[in-house]
Amino acid sequence: MRVKCVLCDKIEKLEDQSPLAKKLRNRPIHTYMCESCHSRIKERTEDRKTSGNFVTYRDSSKEETW
C-alpha cells in the first residue's frame, strides 16, 4: 500500500497486511504521518511541555461546574 505523509508529502510503501495499513484502509478519516515528521512533532511537544508553554484543553462536556 502506498501512503503519503500529510505534512511533508513524502510517499512511502506499507505492507498490505500491517495493522497501520488496515487502519488506513478501513477508516479514511485517519491520516498517515512519516516517522521523521512524527518524531519531529514529538520532540517539539516535549520541549514545550518542559518550557511551560503547553496547554491541555479540556473537553467541553467534562467541564467542572462552578
Side-chain angles (χ1 to χ4, degrees):
M1 175 180 201
R2 287 176 30 147
V3 291
K4 187 177 191 181
C5 178
V6 292
L7 297 178
C8 66
D9 293 333
K10 184 168 110 179
I11 297 176
E12 293 184 356
K13 185 169 179 150
L14 294 177
E15 292 291 325
D16 287 334
Q17 299 302 320
S18 71
L20 179 59
K22 289 180 180 181
K23 182 174 87 168
L24 292 171
R25 255 193 322 269
N26 294 329
R27 298 183 186 112
I29 192 71
H30 293 281
T31 56
Y32 176 76
M33 194 180 332
C34 66
E35 190 60 37
S36 62
C37 289
H38 188 273
S39 63
R40 185 183 77 228
I41 288 174
K42 180 180 177 183
E43 290 171 6
R44 290 185 180 180
T45 302
E46 292 297 324
D47 291 342
R48 282 198 332 265
K49 281 183 180 178
T50 58
S51 71
N53 290 335
F54 187 79
V55 177
T56 303
Y57 295 98
R58 293 184 180 184
D59 188 13
S60 61
S61 64
K62 295 181 180 179
E63 285 186 19
E64 296 178 14
T65 57
W66 295 73

